[in-house]
Amino acid sequence: MVIYRDEYRLYNFGPGHPFSPVRLEMLTSLLQALGVWKEPLAPREATREEVLSVHSERLVRRVEAASRGERVPDLEHYGLGTGDTPVFPGMDRAARILVGGTLEGARRILAGEKRVLQLGGGLHHAQYDRSSGFCVYNDLSVAIRHLTRAGLRVAYLDIDVHHGDGVQWIHYEEEEVLTLSLHESGRYLFPGTGHVHEIGRGEGVGRKLNLPLEPFTEDESYLEAFEALVPWALGAFRPDVLVVQAGADAHFLDPLADLLLTTRAYARIFPLILDYAEAYAGGRVLFTLGGGYSLDATVRVWALLYHVFHGLPLPERLPEGWLREWEGRLGQPLTPTLHDPHAPYPEIPRRQEIEKRNRLTLERLMELLRSHLVH
Amino acid sequence: MLIQDVMRFPVVTVEPGVTLEEAYRLLLERGIRHLPVMEEGRLVGIITDRDIRLATSHLNPRGPCPGCTRVAEVMTQEVVTAHPLDPVEEAARVMRERKIGSLPVLEDGALVGIVTGIDLLDALLKLTGVTEPSGRLEVRLPDRVGELARLTGFLAGRGINIHSLLSYPEDKEVVRAVVRVNTLETHLLAEGLRQEGFEVLWPPKKPW
Ligand SMILES: [Zn+2]
């Protein structure tokens, strides 16, 4: 089941902002041009009370006021009105519509649906008391809380290039939520967190996993770590459902980060996630989108996700008419095939060192978690 | 950042007549390693877990007798102290030079706090800005008037909030500035800085 409504595109920080609604417009028009688009389920927007299941009243009050165009003097303390997360009219409702989509996904899972793809959301940086990094409200955590309140154990898997800090901190002390984030190391990259030693607190100890990868990590090293870590953690935790943040900004074309995944890695990752959901979570999996700031790459990665999700064969070339229209609108050439060309970037001289360090990080993480996760 | 911003209080203390056994138990219970020794409201010494272990070691010809040795016999008497208004970097320098792990903090002769190496590490974390969601820029600047101002002016012009700014000398002519900024878009900033003639070390320029 796919969840989407055109009003997702109201979540718009203005022209020039990387978190652009154009991505969704391009994606849905591509799927239509490919002839695979099926009418999605349109979710209702989340209520204020639903947002308050993971956010503070005072944050919500400020988002509401700023959405109405009121001047809020302490807005920056709440992560709003910044260069990354500026305020815009109607922001509260726009964010609640995205939350509503992911929450609808959770409801559908509880109603017996196995696979849900929410074509939006994934706002993993928003924290209890603070908006952050393009993320006003945390749709993922609202959905996760809905699931845990219904008694489910949730494994959250985050493949966005940035650390899923908001989701991690919101559920940091919860035993019934496993968070697992693979990301570019926070030594340099926003938000600066996601170290292996962040493993949870109180009841949540041993239930939060972070694999910080070296800048310039490529497909092979990423997949090696992914295939070692994810089934290991899921096998030990045995969740009832998998919630996946499928950000596409680990792609090598992404302008905000430095991992070097190609579409071929994603073509391996997405089927693996479906396999893992079958093996460890009764087949239940809820996908959201997330980061992804190269229009060219992001749209192809998410089109790939859509095809894998539906078990459709991958197209090779993208439709000519669609390419012509978007190259015209964007004024830039686009990759004409779903996959990246072979060897799309120059050889990375430090490759071996990077692979070695990633292996070491993985070992440290598994060593740290072994006694907590495996009984 | 001043000592009063990072020191801990109230302070766990002992009297000079207490036995090493009692003092050691106190250290264990409170999970600490330093005990200022107080006599009639006056600081007369300091004793650490290391002092007690050395004094009661089997290798020590006069030890071990944790139950009969008094704190007064083992404590360090000339205590190096700090004032609440001392800057943290001064405390760090004193502790490093004297090779000591803590400084009792005195104000008008009264013990008002204690600062340890761990507190200074906390201060360092705060100073580097890593406790806020942020990205990191590293820039090489000529060591001359106005260069940092040029850098921060550029960031201000882009509406970027700076969580922290550290700079340190690389050599005689060059300083390195490490800036933690409240944005995901450090690549874009780096690009803009390069166009303005700055030498940006991180994030790197991608050759594609
Ligand atoms: Zn991201």
Side-chain angles (χ1 to χ4, degrees):
Chain A
M1 169 179 295
V2 175
I3 295 176
Y4 178 76
R5 73 188 248 201
D6 279 330
E7 285 87 347
Y8 283 2
R9 281 153 42 195
L10 295 174
Y11 193 83
N12 186 351
F13 293 110
H17 192 284
F19 199 96
S20 165
V22 168
R23 302 175 305 168
L24 293 179
E25 201 185 341
M26 266 178 95
L27 174 66
T28 52
S29 70
L30 173 59
L31 296 172
Q32 281 160 12
L34 284 165
V36 294
W37 180 253
K38 286 175 235 160
E39 211 40 53
L41 180 82
R44 66 167 173 80
E45 61 204 60
T47 64
R48 187 174 202 274
E49 280 60 44
E50 285 161 349
V51 170
L52 286 171
S53 69
V54 304
H55 289 295
S56 69
E57 168 82 30
R58 51 185 191 173
L59 171 66
V60 172
R61 222 180 282 142
R62 277 158 181 88
V63 174
E64 289 167 342
S67 303
R68 291 189 298 259
E70 291 169 26
R71 286 185 64 85
V72 184
D74 60 356
L75 211 51
E76 276 201 39
H77 290 286
Y78 293 85
L80 289 160
T82 60
D84 277 9
T85 322
V87 299
F88 58 90
M91 181 173 73
D92 171 61
R93 177 165 178 265
R96 279 191 291 111
I97 292 173
L98 288 180
V99 174
T102 310
L103 184 55
E104 185 59 36
R107 280 199 202 95
R108 293 286 152 168
I109 297 270
L110 287 175
E113 189 78 28
K114 289 233 162 153
R115 292 180 181 180
V116 180
L117 170 57
Q118 135 80 326
L119 286 181
L123 304 176
H124 62 167
H125 294 308
Q127 304 181 15
Y128 165 70
D129 214 7
R130 182 198 286 205
S131 302
S132 172
F134 314 161
C135 304
V136 177
Y137 295 142
N138 196 318
D139 59 305
L140 295 153
S141 282
V142 171
I144 290 169
R145 183 133 303 159
H146 188 73
L147 292 164
T148 57
R149 280 184 178 169
L152 267 57
R153 285 160 67 79
V154 181
Y156 169 72
L157 172 61
D158 187 319
I159 60 167
D160 192 281
V161 79
H162 302 96
H163 175 222
D165 58 337
V167 179
Q168 170 178 296
W169 299 131
I170 287 172
H171 306 283
Y172 207 54
E173 302 189 19
E174 295 170 12
E175 197 276 335
E176 65 278 20
V177 180
L178 178 86
T179 65
L180 176 47
S181 179
L182 289 88
H183 45 260
E184 178 179 343
S185 156
R187 279 201 304 275
Y188 309 102
L189 194 70
F190 187 95
T193 47
H195 300 280
V196 289
H197 60 254
E198 291 162 24
I199 62 166
R201 198 185 302 125
E203 305 264 293
V205 168
R207 300 290 184 270
K208 317 298 157 215
L209 282 69
N210 288 293
L211 188 66
L213 297 160
E214 292 297 305
F216 305 117
T217 291
E218 298 174 83
D219 287 356
E220 234 179 282
S221 179
Y222 188 98
L223 284 166
E224 180 187 322
F226 186 90
E227 289 177 43
L229 180 62
V230 182
W232 177 78
L234 295 178
F237 182 72
R238 291 275 159 184
D240 297 306
V241 53
L242 203 53
V243 174
V244 182
Q245 202 269 22
D249 44 9
H251 190 274
F252 74 93
L253 283 177
D254 198 87
L256 265 51
D258 315 282
L259 293 198
L260 300 180
L261 298 198
T262 70
T263 50
R264 276 163 247 283
Y266 287 101
R268 176 109 185 102
I269 291 168
F270 294 139
L272 276 176
I273 294 176
L274 290 177
D275 289 350
Y276 296 156
E278 283 302 328
Y280 305 112
R284 283 175 291 273
V285 57
L286 164 57
F287 287 93
T288 71
L289 304 184
Y293 307 103
S294 152
L295 292 172
D296 178 317
T298 301
V299 167
R300 288 183 294 121
V301 168
W302 288 341
L304 205 157
L305 169 61
Y306 187 92
H307 281 78
V308 170
F309 181 85
H310 287 295
L312 297 166
L314 298 181
E316 276 188 34
R317 285 193 65 84
L318 304 184
E320 286 303 326
W322 181 86
L323 280 169
R324 260 197 311 276
E325 186 199 332
W326 281 98
E327 286 184 338
R329 277 183 66 175
L330 301 173
Q332 65 173 72
L334 292 170
T335 305
T337 47
L338 184 74
H339 273 305
D340 298 316
H342 278 282
Y345 56 82
E347 203 169 305
I348 303 302
R350 288 175 50 245
R351 174 182 289 175
Q352 290 201 331
E353 188 192 326
I354 290 167
E355 291 174 352
K356 207 169 125 193
R357 291 194 64 167
N358 285 340
R359 265 183 218 123
L360 215 66
T361 309
L362 177 67
E363 276 169 30
R364 281 180 57 202
L365 172 61
M366 291 174 79
E367 205 41 62
L368 255 167
L369 267 297
R370 199 177 301 279
S371 61
H372 293 287
L373 211 52
V374 182
H375 300 291
Chain B
M1 203 175 284
L2 304 177
I3 289 297
Q4 63 187 15
D5 303 321
V6 301
M7 70 185 190
R8 287 159 192 263
F9 55 90
V11 190
V12 182
T13 62
V14 284
E15 291 175 1
V18 161
T19 65
L20 296 190
E21 190 176 12
E22 290 166 316
Y24 197 72
R25 201 180 314 130
L26 194 57
L27 290 172
L28 279 181
E29 277 167 12
R30 301 301 189 97
I32 53 177
R33 296 190 309 211
H34 310 267
L35 281 174
V37 185
M38 303 294 286
E39 193 171 29
E40 291 164 6
R42 220 165 41 84
L43 180 72
V44 294
I46 188 162
I47 189 163
T48 68
D49 61 337
R50 185 167 180 271
D51 296 330
I52 298 176
R53 282 194 207 137
L54 289 177
T56 58
S57 165
H58 286 279
L59 301 173
N60 183 336
R62 292 173 47 209
C65 186
C68 62
T69 313
R70 307 276 156 188
V71 161
E73 299 168 49
V74 174
M75 68 187 188
T76 302
Q77 293 194 6
E78 269 155 38
V79 187
V80 185
T81 63
H83 187 272
L85 298 181
D86 290 346
V88 285
E89 60 269 29
E90 193 168 312
R93 185 152 74 184
V94 169
M95 284 165 65
R96 178 65 190 89
E97 279 172 2
R98 304 285 201 108
K99 287 198 193 170
I100 51 178
S102 74
L103 295 173
V105 184
L106 295 185
E107 189 172 20
D108 301 328
L111 182 71
V112 295
I114 187 166
V115 57
T116 71
I118 296 292
D119 301 323
L120 293 183
L121 285 178
D122 284 342
L124 179 69
L125 282 178
K126 217 168 171 182
L127 286 165
T128 55
V130 292
T131 49
E132 301 280 327
S134 54
R136 185 181 194 264
L137 283 171
E138 191 162 343
V139 185
R140 288 180 93 224
L141 298 169
D143 189 8
R144 60 169 183 250
V145 171
E147 289 293 327
L148 266 182
R150 216 157 66 81
L151 175 63
T152 55
F154 175 90
L155 295 172
R158 296 284 180 111
I160 297 297
N161 189 17
I162 299 174
H163 283 312
S164 76
L165 167 58
L166 296 175
S167 70
Y168 60 95
E170 181 178 310
D171 56 40
K172 274 202 168 60
E173 277 102 46
V174 175
V175 290
R176 285 220 192 170
V178 178
V179 195
R180 294 222 63 115
V181 283
N182 173 23
T183 179
L184 274 92
E185 298 191 68
T186 46
H187 275 281
L188 201 72
L189 287 178
E191 211 35 62
L193 284 166
R194 287 189 180 102
Q195 276 166 22
E196 296 287 311
F198 287 96
E199 185 184 352
V200 183
L201 299 176
W202 195 274
K205 201 179 171 69
K206 291 191 214 172
W208 54 84

